[in-house]
Amino acid sequence: MSNRGDKPSDFDAFERLPERKEPTIGLRSSVKNISISSPTSPIGSPASPISPPIGVVRVYSNSESIDSLNQRMLQGNDKRFVEWPKLGFPDPEDPDLRRLEYAWKSKQGDKLELEAEKVWQEFLLNSNKVNNRQKQCQQLIRKHGIPSKYRPRVWMEIRGVDKKMKENEGYYDSILDVHKNTPCVSAEQIQLDLHRTFPQHPLFFENPVPTSGRSQMQRILTAYSWRNPHVSYCQSLNYIVGILLLHYSEEQSFWMLVSILEELLPANFYNPQLKGVRVDSRVLDEMLKDRLPKLHQHFFNCHIEVQTFCTGWFMRLFVDIFPLETTMRIWDLLFSEGSKVLFRTILAFLKISENDLLGCSHMGEMLHYLNAAPIRQYDYNILVKTCFSFYSLKRKNLEDARDRCTKIVEAEIRELQIRRDAARQRMMSMNMTIA
Amino acid sequence: MNDINPSAKPVSFKLVLLGESAVGKSSLVLRFVRGQFFEYQESTIGAAFLTQTVPLGDAVIKFEIWDTAGQERYKSLAPMYYRGAAAAIVVYDITNYDSFLRAKQWVKELQRQGNTNIVIALAGNKSDLSDKRKVDFSEASAYAEDNGILFLETSAKTAQNVNEIFVAIARKLPKDRPITDKNEIDNIIIPKVGDTRAEKPGKGCC
């Protein structure tokens, strides 16, 4: 059972924005202020690292799961379910990370979020659609990011997903309905990954009963597989859909996914050879050589191919690579400025970490650093500032680099195929000889 | 694992894990490296890097482990991770026959494309689920013997044979670590003139 009983009038919520003090989050999304026993405390109030006081909790979720969320919160099980900046994820297991997270939130994070909320509230009160003031919106995103309460709406509008949904009303239901009796080629892999996606998050819990997030994720991934059989399903899309479902209804999440895969990222990014990811990994290697030559040489000296670690970063769009709020800040930029933000982010992170990495003396040490350091990058401000401060990245240059690297990757794919075919031939002739 | 001779300098070896999706590659590594097991282990995207040391007589072996993603399309990335590897664990799930067939393909690919002296171990994982078994022990064992590779049935959940498989690999590795792999020779780096960073004494990391 899905929650796809669309009411077109919900779109009007966007249009009516100027009359509202607090805009709605998006189609069929709800914003509810739920008072929980403790006194009301604004987002910016300091909290204990062990049990942060909860006052007003904003719930951003779709109508299907809202009841169960409310119920859980009223039972006091998951009081922090949708509280900024964790969107319901539990505290990190590592006590060191817990300390870092708390320190960041209480010293800077809360303050920055409140500041951003003020600025955005004013901006949104004066804009029917954020796209009407695109340049200003882009500047705001660079400077403040999007506060989490406005994120669902702003992401949708800057990607034009609200419009796309309106134009394709009924599409999502029908694509699932048309194929309901046909086995999906990726069904097994999707099924395998459902219980392995954010198993620690209440929306995706298996026990005591499987929660709605899983069935929604299954339908979204299956629907996309039908929409684009060439890409079908690639592991990592489960994480992206997981994050979208924390912000949107099922159908909205589907259309956001469509926008990411078909407009934001190169078309072949997740194709069966992962061509686009491999191309972009090579492009990154070129950029690194150009912008941070000393570090590039050090990777080379330590026998590390940049592709070995950046592939997963690209594919996950940084989910679980950086802390959640840092990743969401990168997504703000990604939706606003396009896929070049992927390169900017990695280069900025490497720039910030350059001295530490140059201090690592061998491969193991460097890779350990690259495993452990990004998830400690709570300070998204420095990351974002570095993104736009130490080099320029022109769209045309990126396109040229992608064209150049596509040729190399295509040659690699051909070569590997030739080797695999030759080996198959050898095996066949050996079998014939034995027979 | 903790009883390491402090005076011994670890000898590092690159090890790669390959196998179909959800056979338990990451769970095996996490059991070996951190002694942990999660019923719902998150799926690996790209590859994960971990290290663990194994004391072996007077020597200490340090495994630099690349745990790869299992979905078929990630196959195109695999050469990047097995290139220059001294050892590989090819994992299948004893309750899934197709995963055994896929493991055989990985063994073939490693024998053709990998390091010429690569030590390969086949791991029939999820041995705790023997009531759902689809791959006979004898069939896998015979296959491993025919191909001259190590074989153990393992359970990341109960820890059965997990350390053992890594130790068995460690025993077969050349401790003087000769360079025999063509790729590795190709990859030897001649430091640039004036580059003083090529070799620095070990330093604590992160």
Side-chain angles (χ1 to χ4, degrees), chain A residues 226-245:
Chain A
W226 289 124
R227 176 181 170 88
N228 187 347
H230 183 57
V231 168
S232 189
Y233 167 67
C234 178
Q235 279 187 318
S236 67
L237 299 185
N238 49 331
Y239 292 111
I240 293 167
V241 169
I243 294 292
L244 291 172
L245 278 170

Side-chain angles (χ1 to χ4, degrees), chain A residues 424-435:
Chain A
R424 203 170 296 130
Q425 285 289 331
R426 275 202 304 277
M427 287 300 298
M428 280 169 66
S429 56
M430 271 170 64
N431 289 344
M432 281 170 71
T433 314
I434 293 165

Side-chain angles (χ1 to χ4, degrees), chain A residues 135-410:
Chain A
K135 192 75 200 162
Q136 201 183 344
C137 179
Q138 198 176 69
Q139 280 166 353
L140 275 187
I141 290 174
R142 279 197 188 192
K143 194 170 175 196
H144 297 282
I146 307 168
S148 66
K149 66 187 278 194
Y150 300 129
R151 206 164 250 150
R153 175 196 166 190
V154 177
W155 281 356
M156 266 198 130
E157 288 191 13
I158 53 182
R159 296 314 308 168
V161 170
D162 50 344
K163 193 163 160 267
K164 197 162 192 158
M165 275 185 69
K166 237 179 190 171
E167 289 164 0
N168 292 280
E169 209 186 321
Y171 174 95
Y172 180 66
D173 279 330
S174 68
I175 198 164
L176 283 169
D177 194 46
V178 165
H179 294 97
K180 69 181 174 205
N181 296 322
T182 327
C184 167
V185 67
S186 296
E188 203 179 327
Q189 186 68 56
I190 292 171
Q191 187 65 38
L192 278 176
D193 288 340
L194 287 180
H195 68 271
R196 309 198 296 162
T197 312
F198 303 137
Q200 76 282 31
H201 192 287
L203 191 59
F204 304 103
F205 275 166
E206 166 113 327
N207 292 317
V209 283
T211 41
S212 59
R214 284 196 186 193
S215 43
Q216 293 176 330
M217 180 182 291
Q218 183 174 33
R219 285 192 294 269
I220 293 168
L221 292 171
T222 306
Y224 192 77
S225 178
W226 289 124
R227 176 181 170 88
N228 187 347
H230 183 57
V231 168
S232 189
Y233 167 67
C234 178
Q235 279 187 318
S236 67
L237 299 185
N238 49 331
Y239 292 111
I240 293 167
V241 169
I243 294 292
L244 291 172
L245 278 170
L246 297 179
H247 293 85
Y248 294 110
S249 73
E250 182 177 335
E251 188 179 4
Q252 288 171 317
S253 298
F254 170 77
W255 286 109
M256 283 299 291
L257 180 72
V258 168
S259 172
I260 292 170
L261 299 188
E262 298 175 11
E263 290 160 10
L264 205 56
L265 298 173
N268 50 18
F269 205 70
Y270 293 102
N271 83 352
Q273 283 102 23
L274 301 178
K275 196 162 117 187
V277 172
R278 291 163 69 185
V279 167
D280 277 6
S281 300
R282 281 195 170 270
V283 171
L284 178 76
D285 187 64
E286 276 191 6
M287 288 180 182
L288 186 66
K289 191 174 181 179
D290 187 41
R291 318 289 179 176
L292 297 166
K294 217 167 148 186
L295 186 59
H296 186 267
Q297 181 64 38
H298 193 51
F299 275 119
F300 190 66
N301 292 350
C302 290
H303 301 236
I304 296 175
E305 292 178 65
V306 173
Q307 292 94 316
T308 52
F309 69 87
C310 74
T311 307
W313 296 14
F314 276 129
M315 297 185 73
R316 301 180 77 124
L317 302 182
F318 307 113
V319 173
D320 273 357
I321 302 297
F322 293 109
L324 183 64
E325 183 56 20
T326 303
T327 304
M328 295 300 89
R329 286 296 302 265
I330 299 165
W331 281 31
D332 294 343
L333 292 165
L334 187 66
F335 291 140
S336 156
E337 309 205 15
S339 64
K340 62 182 180 178
V341 167
L342 299 177
F343 301 94
R344 283 192 181 281
T345 302
I346 302 181
L347 289 171
F349 175 74
L350 293 175
K351 169 80 176 166
I352 294 168
S353 315
E354 188 175 19
N355 286 339
D356 290 342
L357 282 165
L358 289 173
C360 294
S361 59
H362 55 83
M363 183 178 86
E365 207 179 339
M366 279 186 105
L367 290 172
H368 266 306
Y369 183 89
L370 291 166
N371 262 349
I375 201 68
R376 304 163 73 87
Q377 190 65 48
Y378 287 97
D379 187 353
Y380 45 74
N381 256 6
I382 180 111
L383 189 71
V384 173
K385 273 183 193 149
T386 314
C387 270
F388 297 103
S389 65
F390 87 105
Y391 69 96
S392 69
L393 176 53
K394 293 201 167 65
R395 198 174 294 271
K396 175 78 177 72
N397 294 351
L398 177 58
E399 280 166 15
D400 289 349
R402 275 180 170 151
D403 286 347
R404 216 170 30 246
C405 292
T406 300
K407 290 191 180 93
I408 299 171
V409 169
E410 280 172 351

Side-chain angles (χ1 to χ4, degrees), chain B residues 98-151:
Chain B
D98 283 347
S99 74
F100 178 57
L101 297 177
R102 186 76 192 89
K104 287 181 175 181
Q105 288 174 9
W106 277 122
V107 171
K108 264 181 219 152
E109 176 147 345
L110 285 169
Q111 287 171 335
R112 286 197 311 262
Q113 316 282 356
N115 182 335
T116 44
N117 289 341
I118 190 166
V119 176
I120 302 175
L122 181 67
N125 195 37
K126 306 193 188 178
S127 63
D128 52 291
L129 300 177
S130 57
D131 53 328
K132 294 180 187 161
R133 176 188 289 278
K134 295 278 164 25
V135 185
D136 280 342
F137 180 89
S138 54
E139 183 182 356
S141 177
Y143 169 78
E145 200 171 316
D146 289 347
N147 283 273
I149 61 177
L150 295 164
F151 169 62

